[in-house]
Amino acid sequence: MILGLDLVGTNLESGTKSFNTNLLKQFLKNKIKTKIFIFTTKNYLKDIQIDKIPKNIKLIIKPNYLGINFLKIIWMQIIFPFELKFLGINKVYSSMNYCPFICKLFKIEIFLNIHSNLPWVYFNKMPGSKVKNFIIKFLMFLSIKLSNKLIVNSNYAKREIRQKLKLNSKKILVNYLGVQDDIKREDKNYSLKFNFQNKYILSIASCVRYHDFFQILKAFKKTKYEIKNIKLVLIMQTLDKKYFNEIKNYVEKYFHNNEIYFFENLNQGMLKKFYKNSLFFIFSSYCEVFGLTSLEAMKNKTPVLISKCSAMPEINGAAAMYFNPKSHMDIANKMKILIRNTRLRKSLIKKGIKQSKKFKWFLTYKSLIKILT
């Protein structure tokens, strides 16, 4: 058997990049007998900084511009299958929601990892135009149907996608993700207008409508009248510019200067600094099949306040405090409790450290190897 891995993806700081780079690092650090061709980009190799590559692994380095979603799809569907055929690859693992369709004609087995059930759960909250989103949904649906095995990131995700698409349960396999093993130190080149001596609440999430920033802002507005001198830091990856502008306009209308701070596309080193100095981490979402940021917060000794829905209770267990994501009053009440209760924050920190240790990229890698071989 010769295995091909598609680890080409975005260069933006995101869950996608974290997944691809951490998985790539594990394959290059650990020895297995299977012959493997790994397709990846120059930037990813630069990020992981691996000196020695195992003899059984051959890297196929692709240009960074293939990290652009549209170009990646064109390459994957038109060129990639012929590269696999030429190299004699008979199994391919596609890491990011889509698979190369022509592989079916070449009788190459397809193992597809999907990281979102969003098109079947909250289609109207997807970023971008409806035409683009219909295409994404169609490509994902076709990829799922054509794949030999479908890999998802939680038991919740398995139940949900099986019910939505009427899939055979035996086709779907669960493989949990890991927490960043060695987050870099903060980048000294960043010049941020922010005083880390401030007392602040931290939220890190992509700017998309299924991440409900408005409920957090409304809750914070309720909180700040009773508890003074608390800031709110929003670190975003802006995928929906219209939504981002709506949030900015709301902040300008209802908050004073220096109450809400916005930052975009920070590297893992700077995120670590924000985690470590915050009172607690808050995350409001309606649709998550895993969620990495809450575990990253726990690893960095930050209490976590999070939505009680989708896969989040499964992943975070008793190490987080939960709220109803549709109720800003519930969020505000939980915020006040966490701000005032030092003992509770310390308890959540201890539980969080223990919980985060259950999720390691090495375990993700080992499970994936077992599935693929």
Side-chain angles (χ1 to χ4, degrees):
M1 182 193 75
I2 302 177
L3 178 63
L5 302 180
D6 172 16
L7 298 181
V8 175
T10 180
N11 292 313
L12 297 174
E13 296 295 334
S14 62
T16 300
K17 182 178 179 182
S18 181
F19 179 84
N20 280 334
T21 52
N22 278 288
L23 204 55
L24 177 61
K25 186 187 297 183
Q26 291 300 323
F27 271 95
L28 297 183
K29 278 172 56 178
N30 296 287
K31 295 179 180 179
I32 57 171
K33 295 180 181 180
T34 305
K35 187 175 181 180
I36 302 174
F37 287 88
I38 300 179
F39 296 77
T40 190
T41 60
K42 294 178 182 179
N43 277 351
Y44 282 3
L45 283 175
K46 183 180 177 182
D47 285 344
I48 64 172
Q49 298 178 343
I50 295 288
D51 297 321
K52 192 175 180 181
I53 299 171
K55 291 181 180 179
N56 65 307
I57 291 179
K58 173 70 175 176
L59 291 175
I60 311 293
I61 312 301
K62 294 297 177 181
N64 294 326
Y65 61 74
L66 284 185
I68 300 170
N69 199 36
F70 175 70
L71 296 176
K72 159 90 189 264
I73 290 172
I74 292 175
W75 166 75
M76 175 192 283
Q77 299 302 342
I78 299 174
I79 301 170
F80 185 46
F82 291 93
E83 292 184 83
L84 297 174
K85 182 70 175 176
F86 177 77
L87 293 168
I89 292 167
N90 42 34
K91 266 187 188 180
V92 62
Y93 168 73
S94 185
S95 69
M96 297 311 303
N97 295 335
Y98 310 110
C99 73
F101 304 144
I102 299 175
C103 285
K104 214 64 182 172
L105 297 176
F106 292 156
K107 296 183 179 179
I108 298 171
E109 285 187 81
I110 300 168
F111 290 74
L112 173 66
N113 211 141
I114 65 166
H115 303 272
S116 176
N117 294 344
L118 186 64
W120 294 277
V121 186
Y122 283 103
F123 179 81
N124 290 332
K125 292 186 182 294
M126 291 176 66
S129 70
K130 285 193 175 182
V131 173
K132 185 196 82 171
N133 293 338
F134 272 115
I135 293 170
I136 289 172
K137 185 175 181 179
F138 174 73
L139 290 176
M140 283 185 69
F141 174 77
L142 198 57
S143 297
I144 289 167
K145 289 294 184 180
L146 289 175
S147 64
N148 295 84
K149 292 291 183 183
L150 180 65
I151 304 167
V152 296
N153 303 137
S154 63
N155 289 301
Y156 178 90
K158 177 176 178 175
R159 290 193 301 270
E160 189 172 64
I161 199 68
R162 180 177 60 82
Q163 291 168 2
K164 294 291 181 181
L165 299 185
K166 311 300 180 187
L167 300 174
N168 186 330
S169 182
K170 293 180 180 179
K171 178 176 178 171
I172 312 171
L173 304 168
V174 175
N175 190 14
Y176 286 137
L177 307 184
V179 188
Q180 194 87 358
D181 291 324
D182 52 348
I183 296 176
K184 301 171 187 176
R185 289 174 292 178
E186 58 265 21
D187 190 336
K188 302 298 183 183
N189 294 323
Y190 272 97
S191 179
L192 299 179
K193 293 181 180 179
F194 185 75
N195 181 0
F196 283 95
Q197 299 303 313
N198 287 324
K199 286 186 178 181
Y200 65 91
I201 300 165
L202 175 66
S203 183
I204 302 174
S206 299
C207 186
V208 286
R209 292 184 187 275
Y210 58 93
H211 292 158
D212 200 334
F213 287 99
F214 281 106
Q215 295 290 0
I216 292 176
L217 288 166
K218 288 175 184 177
F220 182 67
K221 188 180 173 187
K222 289 276 184 186
T223 304
K224 75 186 186 73
Y225 291 124
E226 297 182 34
I227 303 170
K228 306 296 183 183
N229 301 318
I230 301 287
K231 315 293 183 183
L232 177 62
V233 174
L234 304 177
I235 300 178
M236 299 179 173
Q237 187 65 254
T238 307
L239 302 180
D240 187 330
K241 291 184 179 179
K242 185 178 178 182
Y243 184 46
F244 179 75
N245 289 333
E246 290 171 13
I247 294 167
K248 291 279 281 189
N249 290 337
Y250 183 87
V251 168
E252 288 172 9
K253 184 175 180 179
Y254 291 107
F255 294 91
H256 299 301
N257 289 337
N258 301 325
E259 287 183 328
I260 311 290
Y261 288 83
F262 289 90
F263 298 103
E264 294 184 77
N265 202 31
L266 299 186
N267 70 11
Q268 284 289 339
M270 284 308 301
L271 292 182
K272 179 178 180 179
K273 188 169 183 178
F274 273 104
Y275 280 129
K276 288 178 69 176
N277 290 283
S278 63
L279 278 174
F280 58 87
F281 172 78
I282 185 168
F283 182 63
S284 182
S285 178
Y286 300 120
C287 183
E288 297 297 320
V289 295
F290 187 83
L292 282 169
T293 50
S294 58
L295 292 174
E296 287 178 358
M298 290 175 184
K299 184 179 175 68
N300 283 286
K301 301 179 181 179
T302 307
V304 170
L305 178 60
I306 198 167
S307 302
K308 190 174 185 179
C309 64
S310 58
M312 287 180 282
E314 178 185 343
I315 303 305
N316 296 281
M321 189 174 184
Y322 295 94
F323 58 77
N324 176 359
K326 295 181 179 180
S327 170
H328 72 274
M329 290 301 298
D330 187 39
I331 300 172
N333 290 335
K334 300 292 172 55
M335 277 184 168
K336 291 173 193 175
I337 291 168
L338 266 183
I339 291 169
R340 290 170 175 150
N341 195 329
T342 304
R343 183 179 294 179
L344 176 58
R345 293 203 304 271
K346 287 181 178 179
S347 174
L348 288 174
I349 288 170
K350 287 181 181 178
K351 290 177 182 178
I353 292 169
K354 187 176 179 180
Q355 184 73 5
S356 68
K357 288 179 179 178
K358 297 176 183 178
F359 300 91
K360 297 181 182 296
W361 284 109
F362 176 67
L363 298 178
T364 306
Y365 159 80
K366 276 185 67 177
S367 179
L368 183 60
I369 287 294
K370 189 175 179 180
I371 291 169
L372 297 177
T373 57

